[in-house]
């Protein structure tokens, strides 16, 4: 008689993620050979699993998934995008949650929560659950994911979608586990992770299945992902936790140091988008900004130029440029020759900084191309082209659809 397996103590009975042998107490997985899965309350057997032959019977979550669409989620530091298979982009909102500290109620998520940023009363706090591309606040991230998944389906009954989530390269096992657990607790039936650089490369239409070098630089809100791809695999990848948010913080500190003026995150982001640049502009630009004077303690208006903001962003830009140079130095020579011909493809919201392409072209001497689709959805568009992706790539990127 096969040993019975029960859910681990720290797992809810409806969430069949962790399992424990009833007799030995040893942890196992639902796909482990020689293990029967039993419900602890009813005592009924849920499935007979035989891992050696690769067969299994649908459990409760996979049955619920039949009523839901497959989702791809770009869980970004600044914005979260959700792609529903067969529908397209259904959610594209900031990764911000406004929570009432008194009762724990979620007041707003996404655009509404961003409008509250820096303007909330004492009993409401606006939280960014993502930091540097990974989850910083587990509970808030779970609530945000639950909200976006419900919004993507436009209903709340029996939500068990299969989900693919883009994550930065080089994140730790603990950080990966946090992403998976948040998605499972948000009622996902299956969760698969894919490196954002690979997803973005497929999204922009790069021929990653060919035996040639393809280099992509994805500058997001929390991380800058750099990858060299060949034969549907990543030859070299690097993620530096310097991107759009660091640029915003650099502007805040520069204005504070040089003008004794304190500005908020939303103001610094507007400055970056309007007059921020990585390389000198053809025509100088200026902008009036408002904030609180640190010495006088009253609101004040000043005018800053694009040259000053470029100076504020210099250190952040140097980190990104150095990371691209290191990637080029560690690329095999044959692939380097391909990159000379094909150039570097840039994507992500941070790549929209004015003259970013000119700066990297000046530093590397290589041709650069900007993705011709919205940066916020670049890493999700690959789901639409999955049929055209060869089997080796599918096995790496999206095992759920094999």
């Amino acid at each position: 008689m096969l040993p019975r397996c029960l859910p681990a103590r720290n797992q809810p009975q409806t969430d069949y993620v962790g399992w424990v042998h009833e007799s030995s107490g040893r942890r196992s997985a639902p796909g482990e050979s020689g293990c029967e899965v039993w419900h602890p309350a009813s005592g009924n057997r849920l499935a007979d699993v035989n891992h050696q032959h690769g067969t299994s019977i649908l459990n409760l979550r996979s049955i619920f998934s039949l009523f839901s669409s497959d989702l791809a989620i770009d869980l970004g530091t600044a914005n979260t995008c959700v792609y529903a298979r067969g529908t397209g982009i259904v959610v594209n909102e900031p990764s911000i949650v406004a929570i009432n500290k008194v009762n724990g109620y979620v007041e707003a998520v996404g655009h509404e929560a961003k409008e509250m940023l820096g303007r909330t009363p004492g009993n409401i706090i606006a939280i960014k659950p993502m930091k540097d591309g990974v989850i910083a606040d587990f509970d808030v991230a779970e609530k945000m994911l639950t909200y976006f998944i419900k919004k993507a389906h436009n209903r709340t009954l029996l939500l068990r979608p299969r989900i693919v989530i883009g994550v930065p390269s080089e994140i730790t096992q603990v950080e990966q586990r946090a992403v998976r657990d948040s998605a499972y607790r948000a009622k996902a039936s299956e969760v698969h992770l894919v490196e954002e650089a690979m997803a973005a490369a497929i999204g922009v239409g790069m021929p990653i299945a060919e035996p040639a070098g393809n280099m992509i630089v994805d500058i997001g809100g929390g991380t800058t992902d750099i990858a060299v791809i060949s034969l549907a695999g990543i030859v070299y990848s690097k993620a530096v936790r310097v991107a759009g948010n660091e640029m915003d913080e650099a502007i805040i500190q520069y204005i504070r140091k040089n003008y004794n003026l304190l500005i908020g995150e939303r103001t610094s982001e507007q400055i970056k988008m309007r007059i921020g640049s990585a390389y000198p502009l053809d025509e100088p630009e200026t902008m009036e900004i408002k904030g609180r004077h640190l010495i006088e303690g009253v609101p004040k208006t000043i005018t800053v130029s694009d040259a000053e903001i470029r100076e504020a962003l210099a250190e952040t830009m140097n980190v990104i440029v150095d990371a691209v140079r290191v990637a080029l130095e560690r690329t095999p020579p044959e692939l380097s020759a391909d990159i000379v011909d094909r150039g570097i493809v840039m994507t992500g919201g941070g790549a929209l900084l004015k003259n970013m392409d000119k700066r990297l072209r000046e530093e590397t001497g290589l041709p650069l191309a900007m993705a011709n689709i919205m940066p916020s959805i670049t890493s999700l568009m690959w789901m639409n082209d999955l049929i055209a992706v060869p089997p080796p790539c599918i096995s790496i990127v999206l095992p759920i659809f094999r």
Side-chain angles (χ1 to χ4, degrees):
M1 182 176 178
L2 293 174
R4 297 204 307 174
C5 285
L6 302 178
R9 290 182 179 274
N10 60 344
Q11 298 288 347
Q13 294 181 5
T14 57
D15 191 8
Y16 298 95
V17 179
W19 302 81
V20 175
H21 278 271
E22 185 180 30
S23 57
S24 64
R26 178 175 58 84
R27 281 187 175 273
S28 62
E32 184 174 348
S33 178
C35 176
E36 291 182 343
V37 182
W38 293 74
H39 193 284
S42 64
N44 297 325
R45 186 176 65 187
L46 296 180
D48 293 325
V49 185
N50 190 334
H51 181 64
Q52 295 177 348
H53 295 85
T55 60
S56 63
I57 298 176
L58 292 176
N59 57 23
L60 292 179
R61 287 194 307 193
S62 60
I63 293 175
F64 290 149
S65 69
L66 297 177
F67 302 97
S68 304
S69 301
D70 298 327
L71 301 179
I73 300 178
D74 182 6
L75 196 59
T77 306
N79 294 280
T80 295
C81 300
V82 181
Y83 181 102
R85 199 176 191 190
T87 304
I89 301 297
V90 290
V91 174
N92 182 11
E93 298 193 27
S95 303
I96 303 176
V97 182
I99 294 182
N100 191 316
K101 296 191 294 183
V102 177
N103 53 22
Y105 179 75
V106 177
E107 298 288 346
V109 180
H111 291 298
E112 295 181 2
K114 186 174 182 179
E115 293 298 323
M116 299 180 183
L117 199 63
R119 298 172 175 171
T120 57
N123 63 322
I124 298 177
I125 181 173
I127 301 174
K128 293 183 177 180
M130 305 296 297
K131 181 177 176 59
D132 298 333
V134 296
I135 293 177
D137 192 317
F138 184 81
D139 293 332
V140 177
E142 175 196 343
K143 294 177 181 178
M144 183 180 72
L145 274 176
T146 302
Y147 171 84
F148 286 146
I149 291 173
K150 289 180 179 179
K151 186 173 182 179
H153 284 84
N154 198 23
R155 64 182 189 272
T156 60
L157 182 62
L158 297 179
L159 287 180
R160 290 292 182 182
R162 298 184 297 178
I163 296 179
V164 181
I165 300 178
V167 296
S169 57
E170 299 183 353
I171 68 172
T172 65
Q173 293 292 329
V174 175
E175 292 167 339
Q176 291 183 23
R177 179 64 182 271
V179 175
R180 285 195 180 96
D181 289 351
S182 293
Y184 277 126
R185 293 179 64 177
K187 309 302 182 184
S189 62
E190 298 177 27
V191 179
H192 298 269
L193 306 183
V194 56
E195 291 192 11
E196 290 177 348
M198 174 67 82
I202 302 175
V204 299
M206 298 177 70
I208 63 171
E210 297 180 1
N214 300 275
M215 186 171 183
I216 187 164
V217 179
D218 183 6
I219 306 175
T223 60
T224 297
D225 286 273
I226 304 166
V228 177
I229 304 172
S230 177
L231 288 173
I234 295 180
V235 179
Y236 173 85
S237 65
K238 179 70 175 178
V240 293
R241 301 195 174 187
V242 173
N245 288 356
E246 289 292 330
M247 297 180 188
D248 297 341
E249 184 63 27
I251 293 174
I252 292 175
Q253 296 301 326
Y254 181 88
I255 299 298
R256 180 171 184 168
K257 179 180 178 181
N258 291 272
Y259 291 97
N260 289 321
L261 193 72
L262 186 62
I263 60 175
E265 297 178 8
R266 297 178 70 241
T267 302
S268 64
E269 184 179 10
Q270 293 173 0
I271 296 171
K272 177 187 66 177
M273 296 173 64
R274 287 186 56 183
I275 63 173
S277 63
Y279 195 78
L281 302 176
D282 295 334
E283 297 182 2
E285 297 182 6
T286 60
M287 177 180 176
E288 285 189 353
I289 60 175
K290 302 177 180 65
R292 175 168 57 86
H293 199 276
L294 293 174
I295 298 177
E296 300 176 4
V298 296
K300 192 174 181 180
T301 301
I302 63 172
T303 301
V304 294
S305 65
D306 65 289
E308 291 178 292
I309 303 305
R310 191 162 52 251
E311 180 184 349
L313 300 176
E315 185 176 350
T316 304
M317 282 303 307
N318 289 338
V319 173
I320 296 175
V321 170
D322 290 342
V324 174
R325 284 178 171 172
V326 171
L328 293 172
E329 290 173 0
R330 298 187 180 181
T331 302
E334 291 295 334
L335 298 182
S336 296
D338 296 330
I339 295 175
V340 171
D341 296 331
R342 300 184 176 209
I344 302 173
V345 176
M346 296 181 60
T347 184
L352 295 178
L353 186 69
K354 295 179 181 178
N355 287 348
M356 174 71 82
D357 53 342
K358 291 184 179 180
R359 173 68 184 274
L360 285 180
R361 189 180 298 115
E362 179 79 13
E363 297 284 350
T364 62
L366 299 174
L368 270 89
M370 289 288 296
N372 58 358
I373 57 179
M374 291 176 60
S376 58
I377 64 174
T378 300
S379 59
L380 301 181
M381 292 301 294
W382 54 278
M383 285 195 67
N384 203 34
D385 302 325
L386 244 167
I387 298 177
V389 177
C393 184
I394 294 179
S395 64
I396 296 173
V397 177
L398 193 55
I400 191 173
F401 290 116
R402 281 182 296 181

